[in-house]
Structure formats: C-alpha cells, structure tokens
Amino acid sequence: MNEWDTYRLLDFVPFTREVYFRLLERVGESFWPLQFVGLIFAGASIWLALRGRARIALLLLAPWWVVVGVIFFLQRYATLNWAGEYIGWVFIAEGVALSVLALFGAAPAVNSTSPIWHKASNLSGIVIAVFGFIGLPATALLQGYSRFQAEVFGLHADPTAMVTLGVVLIAVRRAYRWIAAAIPLIWLLLSALTQSVLGIGSSLAIYSVIAAGLLGVAWRD
Amino acid sequence: MDDCIARRAFLRLIGTGAVSAWAFPGMLPSVARAQTRELQSKPIPSSGESLPMIGMGTWRTFNVGDDPKLLDARTRVVKAFFSRGGGLIDSSPMYGSAPETIGYALRELGAPKSLFSAEKVWSPAGGNAREQFASLAEQWGIKKFDLVQVHNLQDWREHLPLLREMRNEELIRYIGITTSHGRRHAEFEQVMASESLDFVQLTYNITHRDVESRLLPLARERGIAVIANRPYDGGSLIKGLKRREVVPEWAAQEFACRTWADFLLKFIVSHPALNCAIPATTQVAHMNENMQAGSGPMPDGRARQRMVGFVESL
Ligand SMILES: NC(=O)c1ccc[n+]([C@@H]2O[C@H](COP(=O)([O-])OP(=O)(O)OC[C@H]3O[C@@H](n4cnc5c(N)ncnc54)[C@H](OP(=O)(O)O)[C@@H]3O)[C@@H](O)[C@H]2O)c1
C-alpha cells in the first residue's frame, strides 16, 4: 500500500468542530466590543477603494492582519495546531506587505475615470468585500449564533481575508494584485478545507469566494 | 457464617449476575453479568504487571487549548474513565494541548493508582527524547511515565537508545514504538524483531486486520504487549454502525454484547496478542459505553469469525 493513500484531510486537522467554534467565540468574547472598530475600518476601506483612494484603503487594512496574526493565530490557534504559529507570522507578513504596497507600490490605484462596475474584477471585489464585511457576521447572527460567535473583520481570519481580497481586487492592479491576494486566497483555501473536514456548512461560501477571487485576480482589465 | 460474610457472599452473587438474573428474569443472565463485572486486565509480557484492557486515546478529542469550559468537560470524561477502573491514557506531543488537558484533569481529580501514563517522542516537536520527556512530564504534572513510545517510528534509531537509557534510570518503565493506518509495517516488523521493546501500538479493528498475519504473531513470539489504536477507525466505524445497524442478537447471547462499542472493542481485546484498545472520546456517555466493553464474557475464536463475517456482510 502506498503510504500517502492512507492519509486523509482529517489527519491534518487536530481539533474537533466544537473546539473550532469555541475558538471563534472566545476571540469574540475576549475583545468585545473591538468588533465595531474593525467593522468601521473595513467599511471605510471598501468605501475608499471604491472612490479610487487605493493607498489609504490598503493602509486601513494592514494593521488588522497583524492583530489577527497575534490574537487569533499566535495566541490561540497555535495552542491547538502547531501550524498556527507559522500562519500567524504569515498574517503579520501580509500586514507588512499591504503597508509597503500602500506606501511605496508603483501604481496600486484604481482607474477612477472608468466606472467600477464595468470591470469584472471590481465587481467580484465588491461582492467579496461586502460579504466579508457584513454578510458573514450577519449570516451567523441570523443563524442564531451569539454576537461573540459571529466572525468579524479584524478579529477573525476569514472575514479579514475576504475584505482584504475584495479591496485588493478593487484597488490593486497588475502583478501587485497577485502579490497582495495570494495570502488571503491561500488562507481561505486552508480554512475552507478545515471547515469541510469538520462538516461546517459555511465552507461552501468560502469556496465560492475563492472562485470569485481567482476570477477577479486573473481578469485582465 | 457471620453476618458480614453472608453479606459479602450475597454481594458476590449480585456481582456474578445470579441475583439480578433471578430478580429480573426477562434479562439475559449474561447481560446482567456484563453490567456488573469489573474491567478486565491482561498481563504485560515483559513484566507480568496487569493492564486494564480498555484505555483511552486523546488525539483530536483532548486538544482544547486553554478553554476552561472544555477543560472541565474533558475532566469529566477522565473522571468517568477512572471511576470505571481505567488505566492507560495515551497522548503525544503531536496532539496539540492534549498533554496539558490530561495534566489539568489529573490536578483536578488527583492521579489514581490505576493511571498508566503513555506518551510519545515525536521528532517534529523538536529536541531529543529526554527534552520531550521533561516538557511532557511538566504538562501532565507527573515525574515519570509508565510508557514512552516512538511516534510513527520517526527517527527510531536515534530515540530508542535514549529511551532505553531512561528506562535504566527508572524515569520510564516501558518503551515502545507506534504506527497507525497500516503504515510502514515492513519496517515496523523489522524493529520488533531486532530491538528489545515492551510495547507496540498499531491500528487494529474489525475492518483493519492486516496486522493479524505478521505483526500480532510476532508480538506474541517476542513477548511484546500490543495497544490497538483507532479501534473505531477514527470514529466513522462506530458512528456509521450506530446510525444504520442493530447489534445482532446472537452477539448478545454469546458474549453479552449490547452496544456497538461492546461489539467493536470486545473483538479487539479478545485477540490473544492484544493487551489494550484505546478509543478516544469527548463524551462521558461514550466513555461509559467504551469502558463497559472491557467487562463480561469475551468472544471466542469462532464468535470472532462470525463477527468479521457479519461486518463484512453489511
Ligand atoms: N501513530 C499513533 O501513534 C497513533 C495514531 C492514531 C491514533 N493513536 C491513538 O489512538 C487513539 C484512538 O484513535 P483515534 O482517536 O484516531 O480514533 P478512534 O478512537 O477509533 O475514534 C475516535 C472517535 O470515535 C468516537 N467515539 C468514541 N467512543 C464512541 C462511542 N461509544 N460511540 C460513538 N462514537 C464514539 C469519538 O467521538 P465522540 O467524541 O463523539 O465520542 C471520536 O471521534 C488516539 O486518540 C491516539 O491516542 C495513535
């Protein structure tokens, strides 16, 4: 028997569904009401990206990658999964990359003269960003989860990656877009796989976001 | 016969199920017996010490981080385990916070005499066997481990000599190696044949029986105790059976098998080479069910064949 045939995705997820939900909840509980500050930053970033203010839009997102890297991954996820430590540092690196791109990137701005809805990448960016910003937490609340369990930009990894992916699609162009979108896309894939293994329904929504994101990144404006 | 002796004799009668069968004629005598019998043990070949046949695993189930609510919930599972005579708890540095969760439970409950602590050296965790031992002992809150195994054979050439040294220093009582999912059996066999080991841990359950042909006979020949991991095939086996099937009547009659936990675990521990099965669970009710399987009559060779035939026919 080939040894690799014996591996299943489940072998790489070292915790149960119950523990995963408690992790989300404990982060929400510990930092309440920081959720609102995260939401204000996310909303402002999307708004500015749509107005062609790409650099400031990216700068508003960057520090939250460091926050999520530290409080979500290094401080909590890493106690459950040794990979959490590496992922935490990758999140911090994305925060730095977004800042560098915003401050020194050659041309990250949208072409503010063309209406945004004419571009597929912009459209998929808007859908993804708005879903990560408001759709994800709203769905959790509507499904009866508590305010602490609702995943929110700036505290939890998935909405942070989604809002960023969306804003990058709207605001960043050419090769820069690939660079800025790679880490959010890779994290979303890891998260979707983890959630599928744990039998969590929202993995389907994440796969759709990934597909829309890839389409948007690959689109030649 | 004085009163006290008479009372003891009566209690023994209850223990054997005779009184319950008399008092509850509708109930199968063997079932009544199974409900009251104690958890059975088997001797460890290298020492003769007896080890309860049902232990517990901690992969995934005990990795709860520092969540107070879940730490208390897992402590209740450990409490149920010990209250039913449980001994062997198996963990690994690979299992996230599981060693710390066990440590938490042992601090809350106190470590009973029956505790048989089984840990592993896992190369990716970094450090040599001695360093990993020190950090695991701190996490469990104990000074010595009963058993330390080389996880998945990784770097066994490096780890085994050090473990042997630690056994000589009486920091560890037994040493062993592990594998699972049927991986690296050829090399496993080689190590079993050439190294002096007290224990091996491998995957053995009613749907994964490859070890019956070579590894289990070799374990008997070399006097090595065997721990069966993944007794429920990671959970899918028992959960599937519970959802879809009814425990066959003949199993209840022949060896007091009332639940699928009984069926699956009795199959494992009734193999003559097997010492212990280590199902993992997050739930007290499941723990109680699992521990119950280690008591009462066990299937004989003929019944075991019938069990295999039955499961294969599903
Ligand atoms: N290479 C190695 O060294 C190695 C490899 C694999 C495993 N192991 C060891 O072996 C242990 C056991 O293997 P495992 O954890 O992979 O799998 P397992 O014990 O076969 O299955 C565990 C699953 O079974 C479920 N379960 C337990 N009792 C049940 C019951 N009475 N009714 C219904 N469901 C029940 C549990 O869910 P609930 O929480 O819902 O009860 C859990 O999801 C591990 O925990 C680990 O300590 C070692």
Side-chain angles (χ1 to χ4, degrees):
Chain A
M1 180 174 17
N2 179 353
E3 193 180 320
W4 286 106
D5 292 346
T6 64
Y7 285 93
R8 300 279 171 274
L9 262 181
L10 186 62
D11 298 333
F12 299 96
V13 180
F15 45 78
T16 61
R17 183 188 158 100
E18 179 193 25
V19 169
Y20 176 79
F21 281 124
R22 279 288 294 163
L23 168 71
L24 301 181
E25 184 178 10
R26 289 183 71 221
V27 171
E29 212 170 53
S30 306
F31 293 95
W32 180 265
L34 194 62
Q35 281 83 338
F36 293 107
V37 184
L39 285 174
I40 291 168
F41 271 68
S45 173
I46 299 169
W47 173 248
L48 289 165
L50 289 172
R51 312 270 323 216
R53 309 279 305 275
R55 291 182 196 275
I56 181 92
L58 295 177
L59 267 183
L60 288 181
L61 301 178
W64 296 98
W65 279 81
V66 179
V67 172
V68 173
V70 174
I71 67 170
F72 190 83
F73 288 105
L74 295 180
Q75 290 181 348
R76 289 175 178 76
Y77 195 90
T79 64
L80 303 169
N81 184 349
W82 56 266
E85 195 174 328
Y86 300 103
I87 304 174
W89 286 108
V90 169
F91 263 61
I92 292 169
E94 172 77 4
V96 174
L98 290 173
S99 311
V100 170
L101 188 62
L103 297 173
F104 310 110
V110 282
N111 180 357
S112 48
T113 53
S114 71
I116 50 160
W117 50 88
H118 283 179
K119 290 181 185 163
S121 58
N122 283 350
L123 277 182
S124 65
I126 294 167
V127 173
I128 292 170
V130 171
F131 180 68
F133 168 48
I134 212 79
L136 209 58
T139 318
L141 293 175
L142 288 175
Q143 284 178 333
Y145 291 104
S146 77
R147 61 189 175 174
F148 301 133
Q149 285 169 318
E151 289 180 80
V152 174
F153 172 88
L155 291 188
H156 297 101
D158 289 0
T160 304
M162 286 179 193
V163 170
T164 304
L165 180 61
V167 168
V168 164
L169 290 182
I170 301 166
V172 182
R173 309 178 77 190
R174 298 199 300 270
Y176 293 110
R177 188 184 282 165
W178 281 105
I179 296 167
I183 290 174
L185 277 169
I186 293 169
W187 165 255
L188 287 173
L189 183 63
L190 283 177
S191 179
L193 290 171
T194 304
Q195 292 183 38
S196 322
V197 163
L198 297 177
I200 299 170
S202 55
S203 61
L204 279 179
I206 306 179
Y207 286 122
S208 316
V209 166
I210 295 169
L214 282 173
L215 187 82
V217 178
W219 197 267
R220 290 173 70 95
D221 296 325
Chain B
M1 206 184 340
D2 67 357
D3 258 12
C4 183
I5 296 175
R7 200 168 55 240
R8 251 187 272 145
F10 178 72
L11 288 174
R12 232 186 353 257
L13 267 180
I14 294 180
T16 58
V19 168
S20 20
W22 165 78
F24 309 103
M27 206 179 200
L28 282 169
S30 50
V31 173
R33 218 168 34 235
Q35 281 172 346
T36 48
R37 283 264 178 94
E38 278 186 4
L39 179 59
Q40 295 175 31
S41 297
K42 280 190 182 181
I44 298 166
S46 67
S47 67
E49 176 186 352
S50 64
L51 180 68
M53 292 198 305
I54 309 294
M56 59 172 271
T58 54
W59 163 242
R60 294 186 86 232
T61 49
F62 270 56
N63 184 16
V64 300
D66 57 359
D67 186 336
K69 190 172 142 190
L70 296 181
L71 283 168
D72 286 338
R74 296 307 177 269
T75 300
R76 288 192 288 277
V77 173
V78 177
K79 188 174 177 193
F81 176 68
F82 286 136
S83 72
R84 288 175 168 264
L88 193 154
I89 302 184
D90 176 76
S91 193
S92 166
M94 189 188 122
Y95 300 169
S97 71
E100 280 142 324
T101 307
I102 302 165
Y104 179 90
L106 294 180
R107 270 197 310 281
E108 292 291 304
L109 303 169
K113 265 208 177 111
S114 65
L115 171 67
F116 189 96
S117 49
E119 259 297 350
K120 305 194 187 94
V121 191
W122 183 58
S123 285
N128 64 23
R130 218 175 259 285
E131 287 155 353
Q132 289 197 15
F133 170 95
S135 108
L136 288 165
E138 197 183 315
Q139 289 166 7
W140 281 60
I142 59 179
K143 292 201 168 60
K144 297 175 179 187
F145 280 105
D146 292 302
L147 166 63
V148 178
Q149 309 148 95
V150 179
H151 198 142
N152 287 345
L153 279 182
Q154 266 181 314
D155 299 321
W156 62 269
R157 284 187 187 82
E158 189 185 306
H159 294 316
L160 276 181
L162 203 48
L163 290 181
R164 226 168 264 134
E165 224 175 270
M166 292 164 73
R167 186 177 54 184
N168 292 340
E169 293 163 21
E170 295 182 0
L171 288 170
I172 300 171
R173 296 202 303 133
Y174 302 103
I175 63 173
I177 52 172
T178 79
T179 185
S180 65
H181 301 73
R183 291 172 195 145
R184 295 169 77 178
H185 277 186
E187 190 181 357
F188 204 77
E189 185 178 338
Q190 220 179 327
V191 183
M192 281 175 75
S194 59
E195 300 287 324
S196 127
L197 301 170
D198 304 298
F199 275 84
V200 289
Q201 185 187 135
L202 38 74
T203 295
Y204 179 55
N205 61 51
I206 200 159
T207 56
H208 291 78
R209 303 187 310 279
D210 347 350
V211 294
E212 281 175 351
S213 56
R214 296 182 73 90
L215 298 186
L216 295 186
L218 181 60
R220 288 193 84 186
E221 191 187 308
R222 303 267 302 155
I224 304 173
V226 181
I227 299 169
N229 62 36
R230 296 179 57 81
Y232 298 145
D233 205 15
S236 55
L237 181 56
I238 191 163
K239 289 188 196 289
L241 286 168
K242 278 186 169 182
R243 247 195 324 269
R244 290 189 303 269
E245 308 292 337
V246 184
V247 180
E249 187 55 33
W250 53 264
Q253 273 158 6
E254 286 187 28
F255 51 93
C257 170
R258 298 147 310 116
T259 63
W260 281 114
D262 277 348
F263 193 94
L264 297 172
L265 295 179
K266 279 173 186 277
F267 175 82
I268 295 170
V269 296
S270 62
H271 190 290
L274 253 294
N275 283 74
C276 181
I278 49 168
T281 181
T282 57
Q283 300 185 41
V284 171
H286 288 168
M287 176 56 79
N288 288 335
E289 214 174 58
N290 296 344
M291 296 309 283
Q292 186 68 52
S295 61
M298 293 290 156
D300 57 17
R302 198 191 51 79
R304 286 171 51 82
Q305 271 175 8
R306 195 169 176 194
M307 292 166 91
V308 171
F310 178 78
V311 169
E312 282 177 350
S313 73
L314 295 176

